[in-house]
Amino acid sequence: MALQKQEITLGDIALRNAEAESELSGDRMVFSAGPSHPMTHGVLRLVLELDGDTITKCDPVIGYLHRGSEKIAESMTYNQFVPYTDRFDYIASPANNVAYAIAVEKMAGLTVPERCEAIRVLSCELARLASHLVGVGVYGMDAGALTVFMYAYTLREKVLSLLEALTGGRLTTSYTRIGGVARDLPEGFLGHVSKVCDDALFDIDEMDKLLTRNKIFIDRTDGVAVITKEDALAYGLSGANLRASGVDSDLRRDNPYSGYEKYDFEVPIGTKGDCYDRYLVRLEELRQSVGILRQVVDTMPEGDWYNKEAKKVFLPPKQKVLTSMEELIQNFMITTQGPQLPEGEAYFEAENPKGALGFFVVSKGGGVPYRLRVRGPSFSSLSILPKLTLGHMFPDLTVILGSLDFIMGECDR
Amino acid sequence: MTAAQDQLVETLCSRFEGVSAREISRDSAVNVPAAHLLEVAQALRDEYGYEILTCVSGIDWLGQSPRFGVYYHFHSLKHRSYFCVYSDCEGTDEEPKIPSLAKLYPSADWHERENFDMYGIRFEGHPDLRRMLMWESYPYHPLRKEFPLAGIETELPVADIAEETGAKVIAAPEAGGPFVAKPGPKFMSAREPRARDESWNERTSKPL
């Protein structure tokens, strides 16, 4: 083929420069991470646009675990929905049960006795231990420190055994009822809790030694994915993620519920809001939870463990149903007519391990909610991802996702 | 409900036209006309210290007009309190509309997308109003009251798999499924659809 003489114009040079530049920078690659990938801790899918190793766009796709809990709630009596709340944050189910029960009680204007409140605090803090141990342990594993995971899960096993003794279930506890809890503490339970508290402090120290001064862990997390105070508030972050950004907020202390004002605990807050701070806050919260558990064990009040006045709401204990006329009638009425709650609307948020879990109950009377809205803290934690991941390296994504400590059951509901 | 919040309810009622206290709520709450929603939200954020929008929940009052409404729950760290704003939707009952708060509160972005998905409420001025939990081609809004609990049969979202297998997204069989009760009659036996519909059960399949 004969060479054709080509006149080079300025325009062509510009074109060639542009081509050369695009070859250097490479085309943007669209990469779909998940929905089933160990990095995403569940069924989260991230549609990423990558420029080399740098993330230039991130679009989270959620809904793979959507079960329509809010729709189901509209077809169920209040107590029938309790098992569904287990499945929101399924590694800290008792905390969800308690948040749901308090929301409905707030709507109905019910109170519960002191012992019931203390039992609820006990189960909530056990749930926090169980959840943060996964949060810290799996986060360590994400960053390459496998040993921490072993310590975390050994301790978590003991906590789950306690929950099993208390509720009969390790994960799906369904422990609360409207106006009380499902059953009283088993015999000798508080002694077992004290024993686990002793073990827990040892194991938490061990995890602390393995991670906090670990060079590799610090290199991977320090200064990565900084969430500023303003961003954290604007995106509605809550719980440990909010506190790591330097916002001094804890609903257990600021809006105390279920008798949390009686217990003395510190609220750890971060200074920078990076992935390392989020780890530090969770680790310290583990210790504070152990402290709260010890106080609950020491001050557990005697008395009723359910509201005896709530005769149209709380199913009486079975041994009484078969021996006493009044309880038999009460049991019969609740079973045939459903619990009778008044009209009203109430919104309640509880400080769950993952953040503020909110329930909004709208009732038009009777035993079935007209509308139940669940505000999952993980939903809000994930909504910051498009902004947070921008400009970070792809390998950092593992650490960022691990540090946010989200759970898809609660995000998708 | 504290005195400071009662004061805020009164202030908002006198400052904005059409705002009234919402008596039925256990929290402090106001009814706000959709036309004033943005102003009230801005005032709550900038002047009264409600810096977090924690929750946006749509609601379907089937049989009433306007049919749809939206609740906004604000949280203030400074005052350690919550505040609720309820607003009826504008537009028709089939295509309800309400102004979007996503520009004021970035947390509203995903919450509004979810409520659009579930109720079909159009949040006007939202930067990217897509479905959140259901897939993009899904034709219904599942939390509307007329949508059945079991679901409605639809096409599979992945076209090539649907073509090859002929699979569809089918309604859930309710017999043996969740033990459901409907609001309404006094007695539980009358509230359960299974008690009403005995034409099909675990042994005889559902008539098509």
Side-chain angles (χ1 to χ4, degrees):
Chain A
M1 204 172 87
L3 274 170
Q4 270 188 336
K5 197 183 170 193
Q6 219 177 19
E7 220 176 293
I8 297 174
T9 61
L10 268 172
D12 281 333
I13 292 171
L15 192 71
R16 234 184 287 168
N17 279 346
E19 274 173 7
E21 203 172 14
S22 89
E23 262 171 39
L24 273 179
S25 62
D27 283 332
R28 301 259 163 103
M29 185 175 77
V30 176
F31 179 79
S32 171
S36 183
H37 189 279
M39 171 180 80
T40 57
H41 293 216
V43 282
L44 169 69
R45 179 173 163 226
L46 298 169
V47 179
L48 301 166
E49 203 185 87
L50 298 173
D51 183 356
D53 243 357
T54 313
I55 299 167
T56 51
K57 199 181 155 201
C58 168
D59 185 16
V61 182
I62 65 167
Y64 289 93
L65 210 58
H66 177 56
R67 293 145 298 178
S69 304
E70 291 175 11
K71 185 81 183 173
I72 291 171
E74 290 171 12
S75 316
M76 297 225 153
T77 58
Y78 289 100
N79 277 330
Q80 282 173 334
F81 189 67
V82 174
Y84 284 85
T85 63
D86 291 341
R87 274 87 177 162
F88 292 147
D89 179 359
Y90 45 77
I91 55 179
S93 336
N96 305 344
N97 300 155
V98 170
Y100 172 69
I102 296 179
V104 179
E105 282 158 11
K106 181 179 174 188
M107 195 280 294
L110 287 170
T111 54
V112 291
E114 275 194 348
R115 183 177 174 83
C116 176
E117 286 188 335
I119 295 174
R120 283 180 176 184
V121 170
L122 187 77
S123 63
C124 271
E125 292 308 315
L126 285 175
R128 193 178 312 275
L129 279 183
S131 170
H132 278 359
L133 282 170
V134 176
V136 173
V138 175
Y139 184 27
M141 198 166 66
D142 283 340
L146 195 69
T147 324
V148 185
F149 175 77
M150 304 298 175
Y151 278 98
Y153 265 60
T154 313
L155 177 56
R156 185 163 188 265
E157 194 58 37
K158 294 173 190 164
V159 177
L160 290 186
S161 300
L162 284 180
L163 284 179
E164 191 180 5
L166 180 65
T167 68
R170 287 156 54 85
L171 285 177
T172 50
T173 52
S174 309
Y175 187 48
T176 58
R177 300 288 180 270
I178 312 306
V181 288
R183 59 187 76 78
D184 198 5
L185 294 180
E187 207 162 310
F189 182 71
L190 295 177
H192 291 300
V193 175
S194 301
K195 176 78 180 44
V196 170
C197 285
D198 295 342
D199 294 356
L201 283 183
F202 175 78
D203 281 351
I204 294 166
D205 282 347
E206 208 61 28
M207 284 156 62
D208 192 353
K209 283 179 205 158
L210 280 166
L211 271 184
T212 311
R213 298 274 165 232
N214 186 327
K215 176 88 169 76
I216 301 169
F217 184 71
I218 293 176
D219 281 352
R220 287 211 64 181
T221 55
D222 187 32
V224 172
V226 175
I227 304 178
T228 61
K229 222 173 185 172
E230 292 74 30
D231 273 357
L233 292 173
Y235 280 89
L237 258 57
S238 50
N241 295 335
L242 180 64
R243 287 190 282 278
S245 297
V247 182
D248 188 11
S249 148
D250 189 318
L251 296 174
R252 292 175 294 170
R253 184 197 63 194
D254 298 342
N255 300 63
Y257 54 92
S258 197
Y260 263 113
E261 65 275 9
K262 289 179 217 156
Y263 309 110
D264 186 29
F265 59 97
E266 302 279 324
V267 177
I269 58 170
T271 48
K272 274 158 72 181
D274 56 1
C275 289
Y276 188 59
D277 272 359
R278 289 194 275 281
Y279 152 75
L280 286 180
V281 167
R282 283 205 182 87
L283 192 74
E284 184 53 33
E285 277 185 19
L286 279 171
R287 294 205 177 93
Q288 297 300 328
S289 280
V290 174
I292 297 176
L293 280 175
R294 282 190 199 281
Q295 293 173 53
V296 179
V297 169
D298 290 343
T299 60
M300 177 62 75
E302 293 297 319
D304 296 334
W305 47 275
Y306 63 95
N307 187 342
K308 287 199 167 159
E309 305 304 312
K311 290 201 168 53
K312 288 194 166 177
V313 180
F314 192 86
L315 269 182
K318 272 287 171 288
Q319 64 267 34
K320 287 199 173 166
V321 171
L322 300 176
T323 52
S324 139
M325 193 63 206
E326 197 189 345
E327 264 86 5
L328 178 64
I329 296 171
Q330 196 183 331
N331 189 63
F332 183 73
M333 295 295 276
I334 295 174
T335 316
T336 55
Q337 301 189 359
Q340 298 300 314
L341 297 185
E343 277 187 54
E345 302 166 359
Y347 182 72
F348 174 76
E349 268 186 3
E351 182 74 35
N352 263 32
K354 302 282 188 294
L357 176 69
F359 283 97
F360 178 52
V361 192
V362 177
S363 160
K364 284 191 162 184
V368 183
Y370 185 75
R371 166 85 165 109
L372 184 87
R373 167 83 169 137
V374 188
R375 185 253 188 214
S378 302
F379 186 78
S380 296
S381 303
L382 285 179
S383 73
I384 201 173
L385 268 184
K387 183 164 188 191
L388 188 63
T389 51
L390 210 65
H392 279 92
M393 303 286 278
F394 179 70
D396 284 341
L397 195 61
T398 322
V399 187
I400 296 172
L401 290 175
S403 78
L404 285 175
D405 191 26
F406 59 90
I407 191 152
M408 290 317 283
E410 186 179 66
C411 180
D412 293 350
R413 301 177 299 276
Chain B
M1 217 186 289
T2 60
Q5 282 178 295
D6 286 339
Q7 184 65 37
L8 178 58
V9 172
E10 274 175 34
T11 317
L12 287 177
C13 289
S14 56
R15 186 173 156 188
F16 295 99
E17 199 184 327
V19 175
S20 61
R22 193 170 175 81
E23 302 292 343
I24 193 164
S25 178
R26 304 278 188 269
D27 312 288
S28 24
V30 286
N31 296 309
V32 174
H36 291 303
L37 184 61
L38 280 172
E39 298 164 40
V40 173
Q42 178 125 34
L44 278 173
R45 188 188 70 170
D46 296 339
E47 294 168 38
Y48 303 112
Y50 284 84
E51 64 268 75
I52 305 178
L53 175 65
T54 58
C55 189
V56 179
S57 6
I59 194 162
D60 175 5
W61 309 105
L62 186 63
Q64 282 182 31
S65 188
R67 180 176 158 188
F68 293 95
V70 183
Y71 291 90
Y72 298 89
H73 289 96
F74 298 93
H75 179 36
S76 163
L77 298 176
K78 199 172 102 199
H79 306 303
R80 300 184 171 185
S81 63
Y82 290 87
F83 196 77
C84 171
V85 167
Y86 172 77
S87 194
D88 275 325
C89 288
E90 293 171 323
T92 60
D93 281 355
E94 271 314 296
E95 281 215 347
K97 290 178 201 155
I98 201 161
S100 163
L101 296 190
K103 295 241 164 59
L104 289 173
Y105 293 92
S107 60
D109 183 343
W110 277 29
H111 277 278
E112 289 180 347
R113 272 178 69 189
E114 192 193 340
N115 281 297
F116 161 70
D117 189 359
M118 292 294 140
Y119 287 99
I121 299 170
R122 288 178 195 280
F123 290 88
E124 291 187 315
H126 189 283
D128 181 24
L129 199 61
R130 282 177 294 147
R131 284 182 179 271
M132 186 91 243
L133 297 174
M134 310 303 282
W135 56 96
E136 207 50 48
S137 57
Y138 192 69
Y140 304 104
H141 297 294
L143 270 179
R144 290 190 172 190
K145 288 283 177 189
E146 78 269 13
F147 189 86
L149 178 66
I152 299 175
E153 191 175 295
T154 47
E155 297 296 323
L156 210 65
V158 194
D160 51 342
I161 293 178
E163 199 180 330
E164 201 165 302
T165 60
K168 287 191 161 190
V169 180
I170 56 165
E174 268 190 350
F179 176 79
V180 290
K182 297 246 150 84
K186 194 173 181 192
F187 287 93
M188 289 290 283
S189 58
R191 286 203 209 129
E192 288 160 27
R194 284 178 65 190
R196 288 199 291 268
D197 181 14
E198 290 176 347
S199 62
W200 54 285
N201 55 29
E202 287 87 345
R203 285 172 298 282
T204 48
S205 60
K206 191 176 180 181
L208 292 168

